[in-house]
Amino acid sequence: MTDGTATTTDLDVRLEKHRVELTGYCYRMLGSSFEAEDAVQDTMVRAWRSYDKFEGRSSMRSWLYRIATNVCLDMLNAGNRRARPMDLSAPSPLAQAALTPRPDNTWLEPVPDARVLPTTEDPAEAAVAKESVRLAFMAALQQLPPKQRAVLILREVLAWKASEVAELLGTSVASVNSALQRARATLADSDAAGVDAAVSDPLDEEQSKLLERYVAAFEGYDMTALTALLHEDAIMTMPPFDLWLRGTDDITGFMTTMGAACEGSRLVPVEVNGLPGFAQYKPDPEGGGFTPWAVQVLEISKGRIAGFHCFLDTARWFPLFGLPLRLEAETDQGE
C-alpha cells in the first residue's frame, strides 16, 4: 500500500529528473537564466497540480515540454527580445566611450553550464547542446518569432521528430516543417555560426594554452601580451552597459584608462554558455583581498580570442555560479 506522501515524493523525484534539460530549453527560448528558472518552476507547479489529468498518452518528458513551451510562449508575449550590445548599436570609438546602463531585461544573460546542460555520454549530443547555448547562437535565436524558436530548438537541438513537435504545438507536420524552414533561413542570414563555433569540446591543447596565456596576461595587466592573444577586430562587451568596443587598440586603451581599476585582478575558471569563462575579482584597496567584478565569457577563433564579454552585475551572477563574494589575498597568492 502506498500512502499519499510516498506518491507525492515519487512524483517530485520524477519531475526533478527533467529540471536541467527543461532549464536549458527555457533558457534557449527566453535568453535569460533567471527567467528560465522561473519558467521551469512554473512548469513543475503546473505539472504537479494537473498530474491527475495526465493520462500517459505521451511520455512524461513530452508532457513537461508541452507545459514548458506554453509557459515560455506566454512569457514571450510581452515581446521582449534580449540582445548583446553589438545587436543594438555600432561600436564606440574609445574617445567617445561612455558607460550607459540599460535595464536588465535588455540583455542576453550568461548561464552556468551545469544548470542547462544535462549529463550525457554521447559526445556528439554534448557538443550540440553546448553549441546551442553559446552567445552567438542564443543571440540569433532571439531574432526568431517565439513559435519558430520553439520549433527550431525542438527539431535541431533536441532532435524531436516533426510529428512530435506538431503534437506538442497542436499543429500540423506541414506547419512545423514550414516554420523550421523559415527559422533556418533567418539564422543563415545572421552570424549564428559565430566566432565561437571554433571552440573544441573539450578544449584542445592549443586552446588550453591560449587560455593560460590569457590568464597570465590579464592578471599581469600586460597589454602587449594581451594584444598578441586578441584578433585585430576582437569585440569587448560589458552588460549592463551598452558600450562595446572593437579592435585591440580600443580594448587595451579602455583597460588602461576607464578600466584601470582592474589591474591586479584574479581570474577563476567557470563553465559558462558552453564556452571558456572566468570569474574576475578585482583588488579591494580598502578591505584587502579581491571583490567580484565580472563573469567573463570568451569566444575563440583560429587560435585567438575574438570575443571578450564581461557581465558586470556581480550581485546576480556570482551567486548563480556558486562563486564566493570575496577572495582573500593570501588564498590566491599561496597557489
Side-chain angles (χ1 to χ4, degrees):
M1 180 175 173
T2 305
D3 62 22
T5 303
T7 304
T8 298
T9 302
D10 176 61
L11 178 56
D12 287 342
V13 170
R14 292 174 66 196
L15 293 175
E16 282 298 320
K17 279 190 344 187
H18 300 281
R19 183 177 289 274
V20 173
E21 66 170 311
L22 286 172
T23 305
Y25 175 62
C26 293
Y27 174 68
R28 295 178 185 98
M29 285 290 290
L30 301 170
S32 163
S33 39
F34 291 103
E35 286 185 0
E37 295 200 344
D38 288 346
V40 172
Q41 195 56 37
D42 192 358
T43 297
M44 296 298 191
V45 170
R46 292 190 192 189
W48 203 91
R49 287 176 176 167
S50 60
Y51 184 68
D52 58 340
K53 299 175 185 174
F54 173 55
E55 299 171 356
R57 287 180 293 183
S58 62
S59 68
M60 175 172 278
R61 180 171 182 257
S62 298
W63 181 59
L64 288 171
Y65 269 93
R66 181 180 297 112
I67 298 171
T69 300
N70 289 332
V71 170
C72 289
L73 292 177
D74 287 345
M75 293 174 74
L76 289 167
N77 278 339
N80 181 52
R81 287 184 178 181
R82 290 176 177 267
R84 304 167 298 174
M86 57 274 206
D87 300 324
L88 302 180
S89 66
S92 297
L94 179 60
Q96 298 172 18
L99 296 177
T100 307
R102 295 204 191 189
D104 290 340
N105 64 3
T106 305
W107 304 118
L108 188 62
E109 296 180 350
V111 71
D113 285 359
R115 298 230 178 191
V116 294
L117 299 178
T119 303
T120 176
E121 295 181 3
D122 183 340
E125 189 178 311
V128 168
K130 279 196 168 186
E131 288 167 9
S132 68
V133 295
R134 290 177 179 167
L135 295 174
F137 185 79
M138 288 291 300
L141 284 178
Q142 296 291 301
Q143 304 305 311
L144 301 177
K147 285 196 175 178
Q148 282 186 32
R149 204 179 302 178
V151 168
L152 184 93
I153 296 166
L154 290 165
R155 292 282 285 120
E156 302 277 270
V157 178
L158 301 176
W160 284 40
K161 297 175 182 176
S163 58
E164 294 171 328
V165 178
E167 183 180 352
L168 182 146
L169 293 174
T171 189
S172 66
V173 169
S175 177
V176 166
N177 288 336
S178 175
L180 180 59
Q181 190 173 19
R182 294 196 303 275
R184 284 172 173 166
T186 300
L187 262 61
D189 290 337
S190 75
D191 62 350
V195 293
D196 52 347
V199 179
S200 300
D201 180 30
L203 295 177
D204 62 29
E205 184 178 0
E206 181 186 357
Q207 291 167 349
S208 296
K209 287 181 177 178
L210 173 67
L211 294 181
E212 289 174 11
R213 293 196 296 271
Y214 169 76
V215 171
F218 194 95
E219 292 188 344
Y221 233 58
D222 183 338
M223 295 301 122
T224 301
L226 187 61
T227 297
L229 303 178
L230 297 173
H231 274 278
E232 287 183 8
D233 59 352
I235 286 170
M236 180 181 183
T237 68
M238 293 162 279
F241 300 116
D242 57 12
L243 169 74
W244 67 282
L245 304 165
R246 185 194 293 277
T248 53
D249 288 347
D250 279 358
I251 290 173
T252 57
F254 178 88
M255 290 175 66
T256 53
T257 54
M258 296 175 76
C262 290
E263 183 171 358
S265 289
R266 294 292 178 262
L267 300 181
V268 176
V270 293
E271 295 182 334
V272 51
N273 284 83
L275 291 165
F278 296 94
Q280 178 192 345
Y281 292 82
K282 72 174 185 175
D284 180 356
E286 296 180 2
F290 302 87
T291 57
W293 183 247
V295 169
Q296 300 181 358
V297 186
L298 304 186
E299 295 171 324
I300 297 173
S301 176
K302 299 177 183 176
R304 290 192 179 184
I305 294 166
F308 171 45
H309 307 288
C310 304
F311 293 89
L312 303 181
D313 191 351
T314 55
R316 302 174 80 211
W317 306 132
F318 276 54
L320 181 71
F321 281 79
L323 293 162
L325 295 179
R326 180 172 189 78
L327 286 185
E328 299 300 333
E330 50 277 7
T331 300
D332 203 71
Q333 290 171 355
E335 291 179 353

